[in-house]
Amino acid sequence: MLRAGIVGLPNVGKSTLFNALVANAKATAANFPFCTIEPNVGVVAVPDERLEVLAKISNSAEIIPTRVEFVDIAGLVKGASQGEGLGNQFLANIREVDAIVHVVRCFENDDIIHVSGSVDPIRDIEVINLELALADLAQVEKRLDRARKQARGNKELQVEVDALEKVLPILNEGQPARQVELTEEEEAALKPLGLLTYKPIIYAANVSEDDLATGNAWVEQVRELAAKENAQVVVVSAQVESELIELPPEERQDFLESLGVTEGGLQSLIRATYELLGLRTYFTTGPKETRAWTIKAGMLAPQAAGVIHTDFERGFIRAETVAYQDLVATGSMAAAKEKGLVRSEGKDYTVQEGDVMLFRFNV
């Protein structure tokens, strides 16, 4: 399961957001820095309306959505790359995730202390990004010296040297490594380093209840900065989300509509995180269950089958495949077959988003 780490300065709403994400999480949300020390981990379902539709077609007894793991990482502060505020421990936690959700405070509240004394999302983002870049810089400099020496007797290591030399000047400027264009070989060479600033990022602009529908001037600032980084922005309200989970399910939609929105920001955040990680969904459906399966974009049919069980990949024969839209339009698998919409795909087939699949394999 792929993991997204929730990061940000202390008291920006990370733990409150995390609690709302997993609903049952036990993360402590309190009004002082370093409330979260050990990272809390929660697994959340990726919302997908297609599951309900397929389950009705197949009369499924159970629906199983795909999931993403979120890690609530303690608040970073200026100097974290030098160990300030338990920074080394927190940076190590970030290194273990696949993507970063950077929570940025975009609300005013005198009752919630800001570590810098005022609300300034751009300053806050730059503090975090600089600390991550400094941590990466130290790692890249150390590795580059060694790689240059090793490359003298091993030309294959020259790819890593080239990649490190591309990344170094960007990090020296305090900018994220993801701004550098790397070849696939260079990316593979740098992967073992787990560079913090090369991880894909989403900025979660945390606003007050009143600004959830429209955003505010701070949100616009975050959007401008994110556009320069080619990053995404999702507007959320930790306050609203914490209230939502206290309401009965039947009352939640009315509450959201009273705020001028159709869904909570967390739904958008979960979807955006899923897409950010380059993930795709295919489905299996039948009387027993309708289930969403997670694959990487570009996976071939045997690899997709292997997500269910390694035996499926080893003994793969073919995949009976129908597009979600075609199955819904015809109303049943039998009707889709009659119209020639169910295809028999072989080992070279690239699985598409929303494919409904049945694998044939030898044991």
Side-chain angles (χ1 to χ4, degrees):
M1 188 178 300
L2 294 174
R3 314 173 87 204
I6 301 175
V7 307
L9 290 173
N11 286 8
V12 297
K14 297 186 311 302
S15 292
T16 302
L17 202 61
F18 176 83
N19 283 339
L21 267 170
V22 298
N24 300 320
K26 302 301 181 183
T28 307
N31 186 21
F32 57 91
F34 310 120
C35 173
T36 305
I37 303 299
E38 293 299 324
N40 297 286
V41 179
V43 177
V44 302
V46 177
D48 195 328
E49 295 174 352
R50 294 173 295 182
L51 284 167
E52 294 279 355
V53 177
L54 290 174
K56 287 181 180 178
I57 290 174
S58 300
N59 196 25
S60 302
E62 187 178 7
I63 293 176
I64 305 176
T66 190
R67 292 172 169 83
V68 173
E69 185 173 276
F70 283 91
V71 184
D72 177 28
I73 296 169
L76 294 170
V77 293
K78 188 175 182 179
S81 59
Q82 304 301 317
E84 291 292 328
L86 303 179
N88 291 333
Q89 177 182 343
F90 301 161
L91 291 169
N93 292 333
I94 300 172
R95 207 172 297 283
E96 294 174 1
V97 302
D98 302 292
I100 294 172
V101 176
H102 185 164
V103 181
V104 187
R105 180 168 170 173
C106 294
F107 66 89
E108 189 71 75
N109 188 330
D110 294 337
D111 294 329
I112 301 178
I113 304 162
H114 191 293
V115 290
S116 300
S118 62
V119 178
D120 185 339
I122 301 305
R123 175 202 61 207
D124 294 352
I125 289 172
E126 289 174 348
V127 167
I128 297 293
N129 284 352
L130 179 59
E131 294 305 323
L132 299 183
L134 289 172
D136 280 350
L137 179 62
Q139 191 178 17
V140 166
E141 287 177 334
K142 182 178 179 181
R143 177 56 193 158
L144 184 55
D145 287 339
R146 187 180 304 169
R148 281 172 175 161
K149 293 175 184 176
Q150 293 173 335
R152 292 171 191 162
N154 186 343
K155 291 185 178 180
E156 291 181 4
L157 287 178
Q158 188 59 46
V159 175
E160 182 182 2
V161 173
D162 293 343
L164 291 167
E165 289 178 342
K166 283 183 181 180
V167 166
L168 184 62
I170 295 295
L171 294 174
N172 263 319
E173 295 173 5
Q175 298 301 309
R178 59 182 165 272
Q179 291 187 5
V180 180
E181 289 189 18
L182 300 175
T183 66
E184 287 186 16
E185 292 79 7
E186 289 170 340
E187 281 189 6
L190 290 187
K191 189 173 182 180
L193 291 180
L195 294 179
L196 304 170
T197 64
Y198 198 69
K199 297 179 185 295
I201 190 168
I202 292 174
Y203 290 106
N206 187 15
V207 300
S208 67
E209 180 178 300
D210 295 337
D211 292 331
L212 182 59
T214 59
N216 55 37
W218 287 319
V219 173
E220 292 309 311
Q221 291 176 18
V222 175
R223 284 181 172 142
E224 288 178 16
L225 181 145
K228 295 175 184 176
E229 293 187 8
N230 197 27
Q232 291 179 269
V233 177
V234 175
V235 178
V236 299
S237 174
Q239 174 192 357
V240 168
E241 299 298 339
S242 61
E243 292 174 14
L244 272 177
I245 60 175
E246 298 297 329
L247 291 175
E250 62 272 13
E251 295 180 17
R252 293 176 187 174
Q253 193 59 40
D254 289 341
F255 176 58
L256 288 170
E257 289 176 0
S258 73
L259 299 175
V261 295
T262 56
E263 70 173 13
L266 287 188
Q267 301 293 310
S268 301
L269 178 61
I270 294 168
R271 287 195 191 97
T273 303
Y274 190 76
E275 292 169 5
L276 182 71
L277 290 170
L279 305 180
R280 298 291 183 270
T281 300
Y282 77 85
F283 303 101
T284 55
T285 186
K288 182 180 177 182
E289 66 178 33
T290 289
R291 182 164 184 160
W293 299 91
T294 300
I295 59 171
K296 284 288 189 79
M299 267 193 177
L300 299 179
Q303 295 173 295
V307 172
I308 299 176
H309 198 286
T310 53
D311 287 347
F312 284 28
E313 182 173 5
R314 280 196 296 265
F316 180 89
I317 299 173
R318 68 181 186 277
E320 293 182 9
T321 306
V322 60
Y324 167 81
Q325 294 88 343
D326 290 339
L327 179 56
V328 173
T330 54
S332 72
M333 189 66 75
K337 285 181 178 179
E338 285 180 10
K339 295 197 173 186
L341 298 173
V342 178
R343 311 179 309 276
S344 180
E345 301 288 1
K347 294 180 178 180
D348 296 331
Y349 176 67
T350 300
V351 178
Q352 301 299 305
E353 170 64 32
D355 275 351
V356 182
M357 310 188 79
L358 174 64
F359 296 106
R360 303 294 184 186
F361 64 98
N362 285 321
V363 178

